[in-house]
Amino acid sequence: MAFKSFRNFMEDAVRRYYSSERALKDFFTAPQLDRAFGEALAEFFSQHLSEFEKPSLVELGAGTGILARDILNYYRENYPELFKNIRYYIYEFSPSLIEKQRKVLSEFENVEWVSELPKVEGVIFSNEFFDALPVHVVKEGKELYVDENGNEVWLSLENERVKEFLKRMGYENLNQVVEVCLDCIDMLKRISESLVSGYHVVIDYGYTSEEISRFPEGTVLAYKEHKVVKDFLKEAGNADITAHVNFSALMEYGKDFGLETILFQSQRDFLMHIPTFLNELEKLSWEETPEGIERMSRLKTMLVSMGDKFKVLLQRKSS
Ligand SMILES: C[S@@+](CC[C@H](N)C(=O)[O-])C[C@H]1O[C@@H](n2cnc3c(N)ncnc32)[C@H](O)[C@@H]1O
């Protein structure tokens, strides 16, 4: 019988899922909650983009394109000079999402879709992208494989890069499931090579090495219609498979590629330091219309239920 490593299984399932029609309506992220999220990010990026004469923003995995739309709208209204100069690149692998993004962003002339990361000065960022990159799943010297019928098979761990990762991160003797995202490290390398000068920002749910013991069975989850699917090994391509991001690994391996961590905090703390977001909260707290009350509750979701689970990592490319 043929076996696939879980990493290969996940890569295939994620690609199929995001290329299906289902991906257009299934995932639910902060930009979809409210434009205040994109506006806060835009304000934060503007401080960093102002360092460059010809600044670029590169978004990895742009979903329906609404985050890009909210950021560009914000610049058009509040930073017309930046809006005039900026180039916005989207790196996306789903043909159906690219089509959707092109529609949502049709009014903007400065957006370009790329299949390779371009050389830029500016900011490369992502929201809920790294969690979609495939992971090797290991436990006590064994690696998870999947057979043709969607059953779990644990085989001896042979992958040298995975073994090196466990050693470097100090996970060798853990008696628990550990997920190893070599694709995240390869992505970091590509990001660093693409940044002539500038910053890398990751927003995602994740953990650090100190917190890994909170997930003895690992963090891989599959979602379908906003619900967790249990038997997802038999549902390849129908469900969105994700793994929490190991932020300690992004910080540690970033060093190899000249990406120095300059900020790491919860999404709540991050948003609460951005004046635009605070102003919006203040304004909405006085609103009594149903729409205002609803927006207020959406902003609170970003701070409360998502606030601690989601982290923001800012890295600077040192030249
Ligand atoms: C959960 S969605 C997040 C979308 C958007 N950033 C948001 O916050 O709404 C993940 C996005 O990453 C894209 N994606 C996932 N894996 C990818 C890969 N390996 N290469 C390029 N895009 C990828 C998906 O197609 C999708 O657009």
Side-chain angles (χ1 to χ4, degrees):
M1 180 165 297
F3 304 121
K4 237 184 197 184
S5 69
F6 179 80
R7 184 239 162 250
N8 290 356
F9 172 87
M10 179 170 169
E11 180 182 48
D12 185 45
V14 168
R15 191 179 275 274
R16 278 165 58 190
Y17 168 78
Y18 279 109
S19 300
S20 71
E21 289 299 307
R22 180 167 286 137
L24 291 171
K25 48 182 171 19
D26 231 18
F27 62 82
F28 185 67
T29 57
Q32 280 160 313
L33 272 177
D34 197 275
R35 63 180 160 78
F37 185 80
E39 292 174 354
L41 279 188
E43 183 59 38
F44 178 75
F45 296 155
S46 70
Q47 300 156 21
H48 299 295
L49 293 168
S50 63
E51 289 176 27
F52 307 104
E53 215 175 297
K54 288 201 179 316
S56 296
L57 261 182
V58 183
E59 182 178 359
L60 311 174
T64 54
I66 53 172
L67 181 53
R69 185 200 60 196
D70 292 343
I71 290 173
L72 288 167
N73 271 337
Y74 185 79
Y75 287 156
R76 184 163 52 191
E77 269 172 44
N78 299 282
Y79 292 90
E81 206 44 38
L82 175 57
F83 181 73
K84 213 168 68 191
N85 290 331
I86 201 168
R87 280 221 70 74
Y88 198 110
Y89 294 98
I90 291 182
Y91 173 79
E92 169 63 59
F93 72 172
S94 156
S96 48
L97 286 174
I98 291 177
E99 200 185 314
K100 171 83 180 162
Q101 293 158 11
R102 285 191 189 278
K103 280 192 196 133
V104 169
L105 298 165
S106 59
E107 64 180 300
F108 299 107
E109 286 169 6
N110 49 358
V111 183
E112 201 177 309
W113 282 260
V114 290
S115 51
E116 289 299 326
L117 298 186
K119 293 259 184 250
V120 292
E121 288 188 324
V123 177
I124 300 183
F125 78 100
S126 60
N127 183 58
E128 294 202 42
F129 167 76
F130 274 87
D131 67 78
L133 298 184
V135 294
H136 291 267
V137 176
V138 301
K139 187 177 180 184
E140 296 165 14
K142 296 225 154 43
E143 173 165 2
L144 177 61
Y145 285 72
V146 183
D147 75 13
E148 286 163 352
N149 301 321
N151 298 309
E152 283 190 13
V153 185
W154 289 87
L155 301 177
S156 163
L157 171 61
E158 302 296 340
N159 186 314
E160 289 304 324
R161 274 188 82 196
V162 172
K163 288 187 197 170
E164 262 171 47
F165 175 97
L166 297 175
K167 197 163 164 196
R168 178 160 175 187
M169 296 305 296
Y171 300 158
E172 269 180 315
N173 299 318
L174 293 182
N175 300 318
Q176 67 164 86
V177 170
V178 177
E179 287 137 7
V180 179
C181 186
L182 299 178
D183 289 75
C184 296
I185 297 167
D186 296 341
M187 196 61 187
L188 271 187
K189 182 165 188 277
R190 289 166 64 194
I191 288 165
S192 166
E193 286 166 357
S194 152
L195 274 176
V196 176
S197 172
Y199 299 86
H200 173 222
V201 179
V202 182
I203 306 155
D204 220 316
Y205 39 89
Y207 58 89
T208 58
S209 292
E210 290 72 43
E211 297 166 310
I212 198 168
S213 61
R214 284 179 40 208
F215 306 102
E217 301 302 326
T219 67
V220 169
L221 278 177
Y223 296 91
K224 194 171 150 189
E225 288 153 18
H226 310 297
K227 291 200 187 81
V228 173
V229 190
K230 283 250 155 52
D231 217 2
F232 63 87
L233 292 181
K234 298 192 168 51
E235 290 238 29
N238 283 324
D240 178 16
I241 304 181
T242 76
H244 284 32
V245 175
N246 184 331
F247 280 99
S248 293
L250 296 187
M251 291 188 247
E252 176 63 22
Y253 279 85
K255 292 183 212 158
D256 291 0
F257 314 124
L259 293 171
E260 176 203 359
T261 296
I262 51 177
L263 179 101
F264 177 59
Q265 57 187 179
S266 67
Q267 177 171 297
R268 184 191 48 229
D269 290 347
F270 174 77
L271 290 174
M272 290 304 280
H273 280 94
I274 299 182
T276 345
F277 193 84
L278 293 178
N279 289 344
E280 203 68 23
L281 271 182
E282 164 73 14
K283 251 191 345 215
L284 289 172
S285 69
W286 297 103
E287 277 255 8
E288 283 172 1
T289 60
E291 213 250 332
I293 293 166
E294 244 178 62
R295 283 201 66 210
M296 183 69 176
S297 113
R298 297 202 292 262
L299 266 57
K300 281 191 179 155
T301 303
M302 292 175 200
L303 294 173
V304 184
S305 47
M306 299 177 100
D308 264 333
K309 197 171 147 205
F310 280 73
K311 311 276 196 284
V312 180
L313 171 70
L314 170 67
Q315 299 180 309
R316 177 171 45 210
K317 169 81 185 286
S318 47
S319 33

